[in-house]
Amino acid sequence: MAAMRVNMRPMYVTLELFGLSHPSKHSHVEPVKELAAKTDNQPSRLLPSLKKLYSIFVCCVLVFNVLRYLPSFWVGVDFVPGLTAQRIVILTWSIENAVTAIVLFIFYENKNHFAQYVAQYTTVISDEFSKSLKTNPDCQILRRCLRRALVVGWVMVIFNTIVVAFLIFSGFTDDIAVVLCNPFSHHSVVVKIAAVLLLYLSSGVWVFPIVLHYTLCTAIELRFQELIDVIEHTALKDCPNRFQTLKCVRYKHLQLCKMVETVDQSLSYYIANIYLFNIGNSCFLIYVMINKIADGPNLTEIAILSFWLASSIIITLIISIKSAYVNEKVKSLSLFLSLSLSLSLSLSLSIQLNVFCRNLNFEFTLCHIVNIIDR
């Protein structure tokens, strides 16, 4: 477990930096509910309390940002009409980030996802069944995937912050400065600094939960693929203990399915939030870009709007594709396992099972073979 915690440490630090995670003593995630007792006896410390207070502070700041922006549609120190669509984009994005922070705060407060997930992952790679299957407990591939994902996330956050800060302070385009600083004056240096800092915080809240989802799904996907490789090798090679090997694989399949359930229970509301707001925000961004092009394109504004649009689409696609890959691995392993077990049966046993099922007027499938063998 120590190696897994070390690998995930950059993710811990990044999420804590943006107030997206904090330690918790409680867990209500059903597949790992029995592990909660192990963490309940840990002594309370000052640092976890400070991290929790910081997470609450971030949630309050993002909620306040939504509330302060609502009057921007009607009033402002230097109110500029005709920017309603741009204001809707900023407001929608602000609501999405506020909801994300609140959902993840409640999630970490009640479920302590990381501790449970790491415990499950460690069991999957190091228990006796894994040793029997001779699977590779090394996390090199996962470590490289995590590092790449974190680097990409930080590049997106830093690029978005630097470019928008340049546009706000340079006066290269007033529209973006106006919609970000409203209802306060976009000529005030203090307001501009506050807007940039808030943009940096919001960008991190927007991007890094996706990195979290990507990492968790990638870890599960790699372990499923490893078991599929074991099944393919066992089906091709005549092993004397093939049935025992396949039973071990089935047990590992069950463990991985519990990990999938843990991720689903923990991040389902966050994923729903992303789909709801990102898709709507993308539509408004397209509308704004069409109007900008029709009125005489400002290449700088078009570039930053294109970046926001591409980021919204990519974030939604990452969640969809990674979730689909994990679901495909679950089904592929189940199919491989069923086929391997059915092909391992002797001809006489297969005939007896067919006769038995016909006498019971029962539809005969590969899954029924698996269930009969287990009994």
Side-chain angles (χ1 to χ4, degrees):
M1 184 180 296
M4 182 63 178
R5 290 186 183 278
V6 171
N7 294 337
M8 298 292 286
R9 177 57 56 184
M11 177 65 68
Y12 294 161
V13 175
T14 301
L15 292 176
E16 290 172 354
L17 177 63
F18 292 95
L20 296 175
S21 71
H22 65 276
S24 175
K25 296 182 179 180
H26 305 287
S27 174
H28 300 298
V29 182
E30 290 301 327
V32 290
K33 196 172 182 179
E34 67 276 5
L35 297 175
K38 297 181 180 180
T39 59
D40 285 341
N41 297 324
Q42 294 180 355
S44 59
R45 299 175 183 176
L46 179 61
L47 185 58
S49 299
L50 293 177
K51 291 179 179 179
K52 180 177 178 179
L53 289 176
Y54 178 67
S55 297
I56 295 174
F57 171 75
V58 170
C59 292
C60 293
V61 169
L62 293 176
V63 171
F64 172 77
N65 182 47
V66 174
L67 296 178
R68 69 95 186 172
Y69 201 78
L70 289 175
S72 301
F73 289 87
W74 306 281
V75 296
V77 175
D78 47 3
F79 180 76
V80 177
L83 300 177
T84 302
Q86 290 94 316
R87 292 188 174 98
I88 292 176
V89 170
I90 299 299
L91 179 61
T92 305
W93 188 59
S94 301
I95 295 175
E96 177 186 339
N97 292 327
V99 173
T100 295
I102 293 173
V103 167
L104 290 182
F105 174 81
I106 296 174
F107 151 63
Y108 275 101
E109 179 66 17
N110 294 331
K111 297 183 177 181
N112 195 13
H113 174 86
F114 265 137
Q116 310 302 341
Y117 181 90
V118 171
Q120 285 181 310
Y121 186 85
T122 304
T123 301
V124 168
I125 67 175
S126 62
D127 63 3
E128 302 244 346
F129 293 97
S130 297
K131 296 176 182 178
S132 174
L133 295 172
K134 298 180 180 180
T135 56
N136 181 18
D138 195 8
C139 301
Q140 291 294 333
I141 299 178
L142 177 61
R143 187 183 297 114
R144 288 195 295 268
C145 291
L146 173 58
R147 288 176 179 174
R148 285 196 298 264
L150 276 177
V151 168
V152 172
W154 275 110
V155 168
M156 290 182 62
V157 171
I158 293 174
F159 176 81
N160 188 46
T161 304
I162 291 177
V163 171
V164 176
F166 170 76
L167 295 178
I168 291 177
F169 282 97
S170 65
F172 204 72
T173 172
D174 288 335
D175 287 354
I176 292 180
V178 168
V179 297
L180 287 176
C181 296
N182 279 169
F184 307 107
S185 173
H186 70 283
H187 298 292
S188 172
V189 177
V190 176
V191 173
K192 290 181 179 180
I193 293 175
V196 171
L197 293 176
L198 189 58
L199 178 70
Y200 170 74
L201 177 63
S202 299
S203 299
V205 174
W206 186 43
V207 170
F208 287 111
I210 303 298
V211 179
L212 170 65
H213 178 271
Y214 175 87
T215 303
L216 299 181
C217 290
T218 300
I220 297 174
E221 182 184 344
L222 291 174
R223 291 301 160 184
F224 268 118
Q225 184 59 48
E226 188 176 44
L227 291 180
I228 291 175
D229 294 339
V230 171
I231 288 290
E232 290 177 337
H233 176 75
T234 304
L236 294 175
K237 186 177 179 181
D238 188 13
C239 299
N241 58 343
R242 181 180 299 179
F243 278 106
Q244 184 61 33
T245 301
L246 295 178
K247 284 188 177 182
C248 291
V249 173
R250 286 204 72 200
Y251 182 78
K252 304 307 296 181
H253 178 267
L254 177 61
Q255 288 180 321
L256 289 173
C257 287
K258 288 183 178 180
M259 291 183 66
V260 174
E261 185 180 356
T262 300
V263 175
D264 179 67
Q265 289 183 357
S266 302
L267 299 180
S268 57
Y269 290 104
Y270 162 71
I271 294 174
N273 173 56
I274 289 297
Y275 277 110
L276 176 64
F277 288 103
N278 257 12
I279 295 176
N281 215 14
S282 299
C283 296
F284 281 109
L285 282 169
I286 294 174
Y287 174 78
V288 172
M289 291 175 64
I290 292 174
N291 282 342
K292 289 288 182 183
I293 295 174
D295 296 339
N298 184 322
L299 295 181
T300 305
E301 290 188 10
I302 295 298
I304 190 62
L305 291 173
S306 300
F307 173 75
W308 288 347
L309 176 61
S311 299
S312 299
I313 295 175
I314 289 173
I315 285 174
T316 307
L317 287 178
I318 288 175
I319 290 180
S320 303
I321 293 173
K322 293 305 293 184
S323 300
Y325 276 165
V326 172
N327 184 57
E328 180 185 358
K329 294 298 180 183
V330 174
K331 293 184 177 180
S332 297
L333 183 56
S334 299
L335 179 60
F336 273 125
L337 186 60
S338 300
L339 288 172
S340 298
L341 282 171
S342 62
L343 294 174
S344 298
L345 296 174
S346 65
L347 179 60
S348 60
L349 181 57
S350 299
I351 295 174
Q352 292 176 19
L353 286 173
N354 275 294
V355 172
F356 174 73
C357 292
R358 270 200 303 270
N359 289 338
L360 293 177
N361 293 321
F362 197 64
E363 183 181 0
F364 184 65
T365 64
L366 293 175
C367 294
H368 297 132
I369 291 180
V370 174
N371 292 332
I372 293 173
I373 291 174
D374 286 342
R375 293 188 179 93

